[in-house]
Amino acid sequence: MDTKDFYYDLPQELIAQTPIEPRDASRMLVYHRDSNLVEHRHFYDIVDYLRAGDVLVINNTKVIPARIFATRLPRTEKTVEQNTEVLLLKRKEYDVWECITKPAKKLKIGTMLDFGEMQGEVVGFGEEGVRFIKFIFEGVFENILEIIGNMPLPPYITEKLEDKNRYQTVYGKIEGSAAAPTAGLHFTPELLEKLQSKGVLIAKVLLHVGLGTFRPVKESDILKHKMHSEYYEVNEENAEIINAAIREGRRVICVGTTSVRVLESASDEDGYIKPQNGDTSIFIYPGYKFKTVKGLITNFHLPESTLIMLVSAFIGRENALSIYRTAVEERYRFFSFGDCMLVL
């Protein structure tokens, strides 16, 4: 299967640069798999589509200010201040992080970096230019990040984000992501309350979004693409909420591709979830047989990305590309701050 099989034309002006207000005013394309029907609604209408007993699976990760800037040491007369960009991906030890750096080639093992409030040393190399950096600091690392860090907005967003909380879901609790699980950005506390009042159950899982989610597919043959691992968790309480729904024939609907990847990583062949934690590098593309997920809320993803491949696996590649063409024609807003689709 070729990466080009997942390409679609997207006008640049449809890439959303700012979040819409209020959150749930975003548009929502509704796709019914059984009838192939497409509807055009708004996200606040989701109350009309979910029913009592449905389980909505959310990823309660929280984005950290993971983009930080440093000056390479030792300083010389030619030193350019803040000449190195570091994106924190995954904590490996208390003071060691897996990172993407720009530029990467100049950061050899032993290179020292000055971040102002702390220093760092390159202590190892990973795959595809990844660097492992050991940070040297006093106090609490997360507190220092709050001072020096920036929200890691994707490169296709060029406008400044006025309120950094708009790149967080309202239910994000556990810090550790280098990018937001963007399908969840549409929810408001009031909308969640409405759904729960209707009898919709909420199950919380965790996947810290990192390189696996947003690394582009560089291989022409998608089977040669290697997913980067990301940390995930499902505890016993939330596994039982999902398993009870499966036993009773109720729908399990995932908010975002990250929640899908958690459930499909943690489920047995019958679709039941086993409480667990660890790293997953699951890669879902057409031909994959879903074991647990029956519905999906998801944004519109980049052409040729692993995310559009996952959506294509869920509804079929031709259906997915047809829906994306419709979304372009209808002038939906795309990517992180864009509109979404509900698949039932």
Side-chain angles (χ1 to χ4, degrees):
M1 193 171 294
D2 200 292
T3 301
K4 293 179 180 177
D5 293 337
F6 300 90
Y7 177 80
Y8 67 93
D9 285 318
L10 178 67
Q12 188 78 15
E13 68 267 19
L14 295 186
I15 299 174
Q17 292 295 313
T18 55
I20 199 164
E21 295 292 347
R23 289 173 181 257
D24 60 358
S26 54
R27 296 172 69 195
M28 179 175 70
L29 184 152
V30 183
Y31 176 64
H32 300 268
R33 289 190 291 168
D34 55 350
S35 63
N36 213 34
L37 174 68
V38 172
E39 297 180 88
H40 302 291
R41 303 290 294 270
H42 287 88
F43 193 74
Y44 49 70
D45 296 321
I46 197 168
V47 178
D48 299 335
Y49 292 91
L50 301 188
R51 54 186 183 237
D54 284 344
V55 174
L56 199 61
V57 182
I58 63 176
N59 178 8
N60 66 348
T61 188
K62 190 171 184 179
V63 184
I64 60 174
R67 179 169 280 118
I68 53 180
F69 296 89
T71 302
R72 291 192 300 276
L73 299 176
R75 286 183 172 84
T76 68
E77 291 182 359
K78 296 182 179 180
T79 294
V80 177
E81 292 296 316
Q82 303 282 279
N83 55 10
T84 302
E85 179 181 338
V86 175
L87 178 65
L88 306 174
L89 291 178
K90 186 194 296 185
R91 195 173 213 151
K92 306 300 288 185
E93 299 174 25
Y94 174 69
D95 55 357
V96 177
W97 284 75
E98 181 181 64
C99 307
I100 296 176
T101 60
K102 293 180 184 178
K105 291 183 179 179
K106 294 184 178 181
L107 298 189
K108 312 299 183 185
I109 291 178
T111 299
M112 296 298 298
L113 299 168
D114 181 10
F115 296 90
E117 300 288 328
M118 62 181 175
Q119 292 191 344
E121 179 184 0
V122 179
V123 294
F125 294 165
E127 297 178 354
E128 299 186 68
V130 164
R131 297 293 190 269
F132 294 98
I133 296 177
K134 179 183 178 68
F135 291 94
I136 304 154
F137 56 92
E138 293 182 1
V140 179
F141 185 79
E142 287 76 9
N143 293 346
I144 297 172
L145 267 192
E146 285 296 325
I147 297 171
I148 67 171
N150 301 272
M151 293 303 282
L153 294 179
Y156 51 75
I157 295 177
T158 57
E159 292 192 23
K160 183 179 178 181
L161 180 63
E162 297 298 332
D163 178 6
K164 66 180 182 181
N165 287 324
R166 288 301 274 110
Y167 197 57
Q168 303 278 15
T169 63
V170 297
Y171 48 73
K173 297 294 183 187
I174 304 173
E175 293 187 334
S177 275
T182 53
L185 295 178
H186 307 281
F187 284 96
T188 65
E190 295 78 15
L191 185 57
L192 287 168
E193 286 178 15
K194 277 187 183 179
L195 290 170
Q196 289 176 292
S197 296
K198 189 173 182 178
V200 175
L201 304 173
I202 307 293
K204 300 172 184 176
V205 300
L206 175 71
L207 184 137
H208 285 324
V209 184
L211 197 56
T213 296
F214 57 83
R215 171 72 85 183
V217 179
K218 296 179 180 178
E219 303 284 352
S220 58
D221 180 356
I222 70 170
L223 300 182
K224 294 181 180 179
H225 177 70
K226 183 178 179 181
M227 290 287 283
H228 206 77
S229 67
E230 295 166 309
Y231 179 80
Y232 75 101
E233 278 182 17
V234 190
N235 64 26
E236 189 170 342
E237 175 187 356
N238 288 285
E240 181 50 31
I241 293 172
I242 298 165
N243 290 337
I246 295 170
R247 286 194 298 269
E248 297 166 15
R250 294 183 276 115
R251 298 186 298 184
V252 176
I253 300 166
C254 281
V255 179
T257 56
T258 59
S259 297
V260 172
R261 294 179 66 231
V262 172
L263 295 199
E264 295 298 316
S265 296
S267 59
D268 63 20
E269 289 305 310
D270 297 317
Y272 290 102
I273 303 300
K274 298 178 180 178
Q276 58 191 271
N277 63 74
D279 290 333
T280 181
S281 55
I282 188 171
F283 180 19
I284 298 175
Y285 51 86
Y288 181 86
K289 301 299 181 184
F290 289 84
K291 304 187 287 292
T292 303
V293 182
K294 301 302 181 187
L296 174 63
I297 300 166
T298 184
N299 280 20
F300 295 99
H301 304 294
L302 276 74
E304 301 182 349
S305 64
T306 61
L307 305 179
I308 194 173
M309 292 174 189
L310 185 152
V311 173
S312 297
F314 194 61
I315 64 176
R317 187 182 70 88
E318 289 299 328
N319 289 335
L321 292 177
S322 175
I323 287 169
Y324 271 60
R325 285 193 292 269
T326 297
V328 170
E329 291 168 4
E330 294 290 330
R331 309 298 287 178
Y332 276 74
R333 301 165 75 244
F334 279 66
F335 306 164
S336 295
F337 286 143
D339 299 314
C340 72
M341 60 189 290
L342 168 64
V343 180
L344 294 173

